């Protein structure tokens, strides 16, 4: 036996205990490959890092959720790594990698770093495979990150190790040697030695990268690991969030720990929206609050936190769906139960796991938190006390029947009620029983089930699935009163001061809290959601999209309809409402052509926040379902018909078609094919009785009423991505940009050559021609040129500037990103003189590292995205920056500025069809205030497909196009 030891490792002034290994020569490890690569979604490891001998902070690694990458291999997960200081660069870095357990092999499909494009490994790299024995070796040869490379992987050692105070058998020391050549044929070598242990996964890495005279020595040592059944921490681990203090309003379902459904002092206004958030999948539960953020839970297990001041997605992680109970933020942690029978404690600031415990059964209801203990009921009829700071179980008990209603906090007790109505008040520190009551089942002869619990004012109120409400003394369980509602309740009641508000299936009733006597009653239609009281207003949500409000004092009633996103949508309003970030949030579920959940928020601020203005919108409009996403920019023609280019894939080839679609649904939109193309068309521009498109290097005019398309005179043109003709004038002229030759004008109806080509003033720069408000056409190719589209006559030209993007126009100005010496600048040019007005140094975002993304302009604002994925808004007249917003992804289309709002699209991870990063964010153009967001299924692969056409913003969807416009209500 050989002993291998590392004595100590100094990290940031701390001494990390040794990691000790004992080798077993030529031994075959017993565990399978899957135990060396724990891929349970949510699992988190933390490492200290050193680069070239210097402390470079922490590396966090989390299994961010299930993935479905281009290979369509099952059991694929996305792994998110965050480096505080990447290899000593002084900057953080986020890396997303895709791995899969494919049979008995662990594969890697590639990764993306920061905002860079996905770099696929072709073929997939084998990270680990049997036999798991000393000396086993395998070789990979292929392309990675666009480079050709060869990797040799060898298991150097099989040994037992002590990691963070726990022993692990059969750990593997793996050596990986990679040789690559970059695009300039510069060779590099990377040698990595790592230790990985069953259940713990990777625990140590030592890496040496050499290219030319550059050498980087990198070390990473695990200091914390959290996955179901394994929670280890050592010196150097990040501190656990403070698990104490009182919970804030809105951090759990029912508004507070007592589930009172009451926000004291709130002032509700339904005259306008505060904001709206649309998410990709069905909502399972109402959102909860975390400061100015809201946290949502979706059917596939995705938990997301969204800042409603900016619309920014702060973090999102995919657990094993579905989530089985509403999350709750309490004691400095976010508690979530998923279908793997795991209770997760996440850091609300980052979404990373603080601890995770595997329970004998799934969580039955939202935990109640009191005195540093989470009281958790599970489907095996057990109740457990879990210590918040560690995840350690401190006690357990049982219930007579299944618990389906969340336990409530009543004073210094937690009251648990089972489905049959048996109540038990527990002391949270030891689980002992303070009192119990079976009055509910006795008085109902066991024919009613518990509908929900609420606690407040010294009472615990139990609603039934019949018409009865029971009030118990919270200190001793004595039955104080019983009241009958006019209809079925089957949901919790709201406790607001000296009032109890009961929502039955046919009425709303207010009771006196002390006596149960009826104060007022109002007839309503069916409602499944509990009532919520905001200050002096009670709100009740009907299932037919009606929000009813009642004055708490006398029941004075008003009604407001909850808007749907499209005319075809079948919308449900059945989930509970909630209060978060100063707003009443109404969740809606839509099963129409846009199948998603929308959270519509109405201002309901408390205290000084009441003076803050809030004006939001909901995105709504028409859906066009031609059967797939467009292959490039689409446009709206006469009668709001969609003209769209489509790709058609067969087993061995790709072709396309131009289609015209009416509004409808994914399977109901009337759609006709105008023309079949030999390759994938680049765009579809509506121009009178034709649709202008490009196939290969030919520009065609496809007739709307049938017939043969025309081909622009001269045939082939030099193309560039996202360069689209302009249709200008009446009758329309198609102004076509050739990035080498210049501009040509053709009759859009006949294809007859009218003028051109007008040569580019200079070689550099390209972009699409645009139509100005006076009907003339401006182009930034090789300079700034304005011409008459009918004759091609140049009206004015500035050859001393060189835009590199499509121009944007607004209020007598032209805007573009242009060369300014050796740098780029965002500049305004006077539309009449074409002379520069102002220029700001600006590094633009690019697509694929090459194609700069242009600005959007309107309403006195110009907006552009920089190379670090930050959206900036400037005063169009002066160039003064007004606000900025950090995006998570670089767009592949310019922002749209329209009617006082900025719309920006983040296209999503193109390599992963099972992700939630494709979204639109809508912001007030002048202030940057968040107004709405929409997370969209799939990803948008088409450059420039997000654009304004007529009075709509066009959005690429998996089965078609959404033509959206903002609606305030």
């Amino acid at each position: 036996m050989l002993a291998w030891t590392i004595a100590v490792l100094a990290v940031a002034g701390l001494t990390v205990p040794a990691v000790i290994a004992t080798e077993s020569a030529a031994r075959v490890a017993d565990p399978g490959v899957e135990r060396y690569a724990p891929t349970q979604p949510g699992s988190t490891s933390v490492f200290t890092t050193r680069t070239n001998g210097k402390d470079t902070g922490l590396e966090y690694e989390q299994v961010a959720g299930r993935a479905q990458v281009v290979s369509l291999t099952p059991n694929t997960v996305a792994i998110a790594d965050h480096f505080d200081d990447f290899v000593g660069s002084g900057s953080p870095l986020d890396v997303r990698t895709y791995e899969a357990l494919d049979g008995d092999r662990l594969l890697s499909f590639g990764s993306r770093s920061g905002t860079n494009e996905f770099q696929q490994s072709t073929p997939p790299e084998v990270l680990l495979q049997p036999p798991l024995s000393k000396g086993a070796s395998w070789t990979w040869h292929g392309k990675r990150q666009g480079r050709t490379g060869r990797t040799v992987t060898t298991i150097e050692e099989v040994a037992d190790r002590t990691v963070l105070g726990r022993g692990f058998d059969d750990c593997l020391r793996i050596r990986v040697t990679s040789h690559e050549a970059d695009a300039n044929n510069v060779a590099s070598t990377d040698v990595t030695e790592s230790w990985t242990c069953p259940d713990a996964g990777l625990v140590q890495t030592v890496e040496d990268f050499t290219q030319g005279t550059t050498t980087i020595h990198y070390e990473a040592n695990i200091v914390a690991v959290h996955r179901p059944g394994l929670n280890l921490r050592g010196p150097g681990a990040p501190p656990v969030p403070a698990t104490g203090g009182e919970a804030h309003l809105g951090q759990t379902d029912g508004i507070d720990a007592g589930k009172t459904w009451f926000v004291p002092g709130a002032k509700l206004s339904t005259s306008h929206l505060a904001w709206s958030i649309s998410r990709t999948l069905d909502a399972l539960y109402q959102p909860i609050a975390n400061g100015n953020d809201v946290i949502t839970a979706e059917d596939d297990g995705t938990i997301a936190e969204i800042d409603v001041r900016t619309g920014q997605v702060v973090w999102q992680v995919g657990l094993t769906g579905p989530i089985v109970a509403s999350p709750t933020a309490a004691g400095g942690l976010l508690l979530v139960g998923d279908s793997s029978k795991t209770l997760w404690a996440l850091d609300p600031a980052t979404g990373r796991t603080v601890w995770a415990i595997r329970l004998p059964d799934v969580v039955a209801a939202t935990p109640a938190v009191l005195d540093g203990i989470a009281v958790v009921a599970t489907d095996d009829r057990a109740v457990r006390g879990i210590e918040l700071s560690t995840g350690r179980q401190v006690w357990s008990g049982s219930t007579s029947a299944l618990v389906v209603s969340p336990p409530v906090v009543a004073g210094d007790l937690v009251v648990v009620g089972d489905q049959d109505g048996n109540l038990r008040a527990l002391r949270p520190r030891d689980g002992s029983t303070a009192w119990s009551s079976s009055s509910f089942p006795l008085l109902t002869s066991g024919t009613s089930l518990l509908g929900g619990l609420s606690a407040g004012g010294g009472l615990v109120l139990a609603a039934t699935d019949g018409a009865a409400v029971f009030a118990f003394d919270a200190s001793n369980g004595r039955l104080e009163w019983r009241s009958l509602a006019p209809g079925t309740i089957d949901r919790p009641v709201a406790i607001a001061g000296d009032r109890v508000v009961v929502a039955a299936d046919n009425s709303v009733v207010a009771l006196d809290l002390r006596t149960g006597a009826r104060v007022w009653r109002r007839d309503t239609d069916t409602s499944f959601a509990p009532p919520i009281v905001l200050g002096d207003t009670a709100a009740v949500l009907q299932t037919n999209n009606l929000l009813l409000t009642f004055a708490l004092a006398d029941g004075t009633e008003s009604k407001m309809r909850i808007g749907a996103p499209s005319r075809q949508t079948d919308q449900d309003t059945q989930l509970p409402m909630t209060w978060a970030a100063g707003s009443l949030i109404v969740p809606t579920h839509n099963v129409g052509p846009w199948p998603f959940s929308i959270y519509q928020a109405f201002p309901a601020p408390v205290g000084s926040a009441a003076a803050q203005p809030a004006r939001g919108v909901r995105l709504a409009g028409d859906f066009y379902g031609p059967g797939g996403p467009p292959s490039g920019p689409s446009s709206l023609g006469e009668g709001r018909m969609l003209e769209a280019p489509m790709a058609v894939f067969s087993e061995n080839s790709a072709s396309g078609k131009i289609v015209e679609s009416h509004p409808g649904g994914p399977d109901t939109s009337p759609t006709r094919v105008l023309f079949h193309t030999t390759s994938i068309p680049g765009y579809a521009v509506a121009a009178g009785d034709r649709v202008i498109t490009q196939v290969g290097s030919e520009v065609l005019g496809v007739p709307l009423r049938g017939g043969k398309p025309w081909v622009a005179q001269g045939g082939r043109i030099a193309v560039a991505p996202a360069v689209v003709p302009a249709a200008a004038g009446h009758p329309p002229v198609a102004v076509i940009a050739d990035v080498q030759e210049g501009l040509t004008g053709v009759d859009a109806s006949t294809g007859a050559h009218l003028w051109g080509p007008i040569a580019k003033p200079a070689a550099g720069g390209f972009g699409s021609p645009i139509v100005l408000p006076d009907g003339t056409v401006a182009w930034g190719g090789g300079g700034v040129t304005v011409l008459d589209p009918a004759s091609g006559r140049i009206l004015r030209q500035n050859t001393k500037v060189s835009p590199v993007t499509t121009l944007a126009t607004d209020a007598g100005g032209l805007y573009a990103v242009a060369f300014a010496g050796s740098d780029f600048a965002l500049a305004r040019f006077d539309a009449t003189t074409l002379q520069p007005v102002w220029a700001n140094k600006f590094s633009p975002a690019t697509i694929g590292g090459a194609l700069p993304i242009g600005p959007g302009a309107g309403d006195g604002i110009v907006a552009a995205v920089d190379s670090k994925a930050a959206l900036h808004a400037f005063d169009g007249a002066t160039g003064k920056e007004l606000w900025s917003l950090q995006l998570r992804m670089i767009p592949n289309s310019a922002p749209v500025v329209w009617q006082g709002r900025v719309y920006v699209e983040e296209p999503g991870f193109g390599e992963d069809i099972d992700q939630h990063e494709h979204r639109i964010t809508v912001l007030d153009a002048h202030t940057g205030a968040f107004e709405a967001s929409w997370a969209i299924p799939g990803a948008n692969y088409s450059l420039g497909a997000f654009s304004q056409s007529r009075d709509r913003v066009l959005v690429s969807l998996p089965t078609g196009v959404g033509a959206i416009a903002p609606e305030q209500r």
Side-chain angles (χ1 to χ4, degrees):
M1 303 288 285
L2 292 175
W4 178 86
T5 63
I6 295 179
V8 291
L9 177 68
V11 178
L14 299 175
T15 300
V16 178
V19 183
I20 302 173
T22 303
E23 183 180 15
S24 299
R27 180 173 62 181
V28 177
D30 294 328
V33 167
E34 68 276 3
R35 287 193 59 196
Y36 289 93
T39 55
Q40 174 78 41
S43 299
T44 300
S45 298
V46 186
F47 303 84
T48 56
T49 70
R50 293 178 68 81
T51 304
N52 294 334
K54 295 182 179 179
D55 171 33
T56 45
L58 296 176
E59 174 194 354
Y60 299 85
E61 183 173 277
Q62 183 175 35
V63 182
R66 303 291 181 189
Q68 193 66 272
V69 296
V70 289
S71 65
L72 300 180
T73 301
N75 305 316
T76 301
V77 294
I79 298 176
D81 284 272
H82 175 82
F83 298 84
D84 283 344
D85 178 8
F86 183 67
V87 296
S89 64
S91 299
L93 181 69
D94 291 290
V95 178
R96 184 180 177 92
T97 306
Y98 299 96
E99 296 182 5
L101 285 168
D102 184 23
D104 59 357
R105 302 183 306 164
L106 177 65
L107 302 180
S108 173
F109 300 108
S111 63
R112 58 166 64 230
S113 300
T115 56
N116 295 329
E117 298 292 324
F118 173 62
Q119 301 296 331
Q120 186 172 351
S121 294
T122 308
E125 297 181 64
V126 179
L127 302 182
L128 192 62
Q129 67 179 23
L132 303 179
S133 58
K134 180 179 179 180
S137 184
W138 59 93
T139 300
W140 173 87
H141 187 273
K143 289 190 175 181
R144 182 199 306 123
Q145 299 180 350
R147 306 169 182 174
T148 299
R150 181 175 182 270
T151 296
V152 178
T153 304
T154 304
I155 298 177
E156 299 282 345
E157 196 174 0
V158 181
D160 300 338
R161 289 174 67 95
T162 299
V163 179
L164 302 176
R166 178 173 297 187
F168 292 88
D169 297 337
D170 301 322
C171 298
L172 307 178
R173 179 165 64 89
I174 301 173
R175 180 182 178 89
V176 180
T177 303
S178 295
H179 299 278
E180 291 182 349
D182 64 12
N184 298 317
N185 205 32
V186 178
S188 64
T189 300
D190 190 289
V191 180
T192 301
E193 287 208 1
S194 61
W195 278 97
T196 183
C197 295
D199 301 324
L202 182 69
V203 298
Q204 186 179 58
T205 296
V206 178
E207 182 175 3
D208 288 288
F209 173 83
T210 303
Q211 185 175 49
T213 59
T214 301
T215 298
I216 298 175
H217 178 78
Y218 175 80
E219 301 176 20
N221 287 273
I222 197 164
V223 290
V225 58
H226 304 292
R227 49 181 49 103
L230 184 66
N231 291 287
L232 303 177
R233 294 175 52 82
V240 175
T243 54
E246 295 183 2
H248 298 288
L249 290 176
Q251 289 190 316
T252 186
D253 62 339
I255 304 302
D256 53 25
K259 308 291 188 290
T260 64
W261 302 91
F262 176 44
V263 184
K267 298 190 179 298
L268 174 65
S269 170
T270 57
S271 63
H272 61 276
L273 285 167
W275 44 264
S276 69
I277 293 172
S278 303
R279 294 291 296 177
T280 307
L281 296 175
D282 294 349
L284 295 180
Y285 309 98
Q286 69 274 37
I288 62 169
N290 183 35
N292 289 309
D293 301 347
V294 296
I295 296 171
T296 62
E298 296 175 50
D299 190 38
D300 67 346
T302 299
I303 307 295
E305 179 166 324
I306 303 160
D307 186 335
V308 298
R309 297 167 301 180
T310 65
Q312 182 184 43
V313 176
V314 181
W315 56 262
Q316 55 190 13
V317 60
L319 303 177
T320 304
I323 304 303
V324 294
S326 174
T328 186
L333 298 174
L334 177 67
L335 301 181
V336 187
D338 71 8
S339 60
S340 71
K341 302 180 182 179
T342 301
L343 178 65
W344 299 87
L346 307 180
D347 183 342
T350 64
R352 300 186 190 112
T353 301
V354 177
W355 51 258
I357 57 171
R358 181 70 53 80
L359 299 168
D361 212 332
V362 295
V363 173
T366 304
V369 177
L370 180 63
D371 199 16
I373 300 294
V375 177
V376 183
T378 51
D379 272 4
D380 57 354
R381 300 186 180 184
V383 180
R384 295 173 173 84
I386 307 297
E387 189 173 55
L388 276 183
S389 58
T390 64
R392 180 177 63 92
Q393 179 176 307
V394 293
W395 55 263
S396 67
S398 61
T399 57
S400 301
L402 186 67
V403 172
V404 293
S405 299
V408 296
V409 173
D412 57 357
L413 301 173
V414 173
V415 180
V416 180
D418 65 27
Q419 192 172 32
D420 290 342
N422 300 294
L423 304 185
R424 180 171 295 173
L426 305 174
R427 299 180 181 92
R429 294 304 304 178
D430 59 11
S432 60
T433 300
W435 57 262
S436 63
S437 174
S438 296
S439 299
F440 181 145
L442 287 174
L443 291 172
T444 61
S445 301
T447 59
S448 293
L449 301 177
L450 181 65
L453 294 176
S454 308
L459 297 178
V460 175
L461 270 62
T464 72
D465 68 345
V469 179
F470 295 85
F472 300 90
D473 187 303
S475 63
N476 56 33
R478 184 178 63 245
L479 180 64
E480 296 293 323
W481 52 261
R482 176 189 181 202
S483 179
L484 293 177
T488 301
I489 303 172
D490 197 23
R491 75 213 76 175
V493 302
I495 302 175
D498 60 356
R499 291 284 187 270
V500 176
V501 179
V502 182
D505 60 0
N506 59 6
S507 62
V508 177
V509 178
L511 307 175
D512 183 279
L513 177 65
R514 293 301 156 202
T515 66
R518 181 180 299 176
V519 178
W520 53 260
R521 170 188 170 181
R522 298 292 179 267
D523 292 335
T524 63
D525 205 343
T526 301
S527 169
F528 291 152
I532 184 171
V533 180
L534 303 139
D536 57 4
T537 302
V540 175
L541 186 64
Q542 292 188 174
T543 56
N544 58 350
N545 304 319
L546 279 181
L547 176 65
L548 310 179
T549 59
F550 304 90
L552 191 60
D554 59 12
T556 301
E557 178 182 351
S558 65
K559 296 181 180 179
M560 193 206 77
R561 180 160 293 279
I562 303 298
S566 68
R567 291 172 293 179
Q568 297 81 16
T569 287
D570 181 9
Q571 179 170 274
D572 292 335
T573 46
Q574 297 185 15
L575 284 179
M577 297 176 289
T578 191
W579 181 89
S583 295
L584 169 69
I585 302 175
V586 180
T588 65
H589 169 231
N590 302 283
V591 294
W594 292 1
F596 51 75
S597 298
I598 307 180
Y599 304 104
Q600 300 184 53
F602 298 92
V606 176
S608 60
Q612 298 176 1
R615 294 279 174 179
V617 296
R618 182 188 69 256
L619 297 181
D622 294 319
F623 177 92
Y624 299 85
S631 58
S634 305
S635 59
L636 293 177
E638 297 297 331
R640 202 172 283 167
M641 305 287 283
L642 178 75
E643 321 296 348
M646 305 289 294
V648 178
F649 297 99
S650 62
E651 185 175 349
N652 298 313
S653 64
S655 58
K657 57 186 177 180
I658 302 298
V659 302
E660 182 175 75
S661 184
H662 296 251
D667 301 315
T668 60
S669 290
T671 299
R672 64 189 181 104
V673 178
L674 302 178
F675 182 63
H676 288 281
T677 61
T678 55
S679 59
I680 298 175
Y683 48 77
V685 177
D689 63 353
R690 298 273 171 158
V691 178
I692 313 300
T693 189
Q694 182 173 308
V695 181
S697 58
E698 291 186 332
V699 176
L700 295 79
V702 178
L704 294 176
R705 298 176 181 86
K708 185 178 181 180
W710 54 252
V711 179
Q713 184 175 346
R716 299 184 178 278
I717 66 168
V719 300
V723 174
V724 179
H730 301 282
V733 174
V735 181
I736 303 168
D738 183 312
V739 298
Q740 291 182 357
E741 299 297 328
L743 294 182
T744 299
V746 303
D747 185 302
S749 181
T750 66
H753 180 267
L754 299 178
W755 49 263
I758 297 174
K760 291 176 63 176
F766 59 88
S768 303
I770 64 169
V771 181
L772 300 182
D774 63 0
T776 60
V777 170
W779 191 44
V784 180
T785 302
V786 177
L787 54 82
D788 173 28
S791 65
R793 181 170 61 93
I794 295 177
L795 303 177
R796 48 197 180 274
Q797 191 172 60
N798 184 342
T799 61
K800 296 180 180 180
V801 298
S802 185
V804 295
T805 64
T806 297
L807 302 170
T809 183
D810 176 55
L814 295 172
Y815 302 91
V817 176
F819 282 118
S822 59
D823 295 319
F824 290 108
L826 178 65
R828 172 187 170 116
F829 305 94
D830 185 279
T832 302
T833 67
L834 301 189
Q835 295 304 305
V837 177
W838 54 259
N840 294 337
K841 186 176 179 180
F842 190 82
S843 176
T846 60
I847 300 171
L851 182 66
I853 300 172
D859 300 293
I861 301 295
V862 57
V865 180
D866 69 17
S867 58
K868 296 183 178 179
L871 171 66
H872 300 265
F874 303 88
D875 184 292
T878 66
K880 178 183 177 182
E881 182 167 349
L882 301 176
W883 53 266
S884 65
L885 173 66
Q886 182 62 53
L887 307 176
R888 285 166 68 97
M889 298 194 69
I890 286 179
N892 58 17
S893 302
V896 172
V897 185
W898 178 45
Q899 294 184 342
R901 297 180 178 92
V902 176
Y903 301 74
V904 63
E905 181 194 43
E906 298 171 81
F909 297 136
E911 72 279 2
D912 182 9
I913 63 175
D914 187 14
Q915 45 85 33
H916 297 254
E917 296 290 355
H918 182 196
R919 72 182 138 266
I920 299 167
T921 303
V922 183
L923 306 151
D924 183 275
H926 293 271
T927 66
F930 172 62
E931 296 193 0
S933 71
W934 179 18
I936 308 169
N940 181 5
Y941 304 92
S942 302
L943 309 185
F946 176 75
S947 61
Q948 183 182 353
S949 183
R950 295 182 181 265
D951 61 344
R952 291 291 186 269
V953 175
L954 301 185
V955 182
S956 178
L957 305 176
T959 54
V961 173
I964 62 173
E967 293 186 3
Q968 291 197 344
R969 273 186 43 180

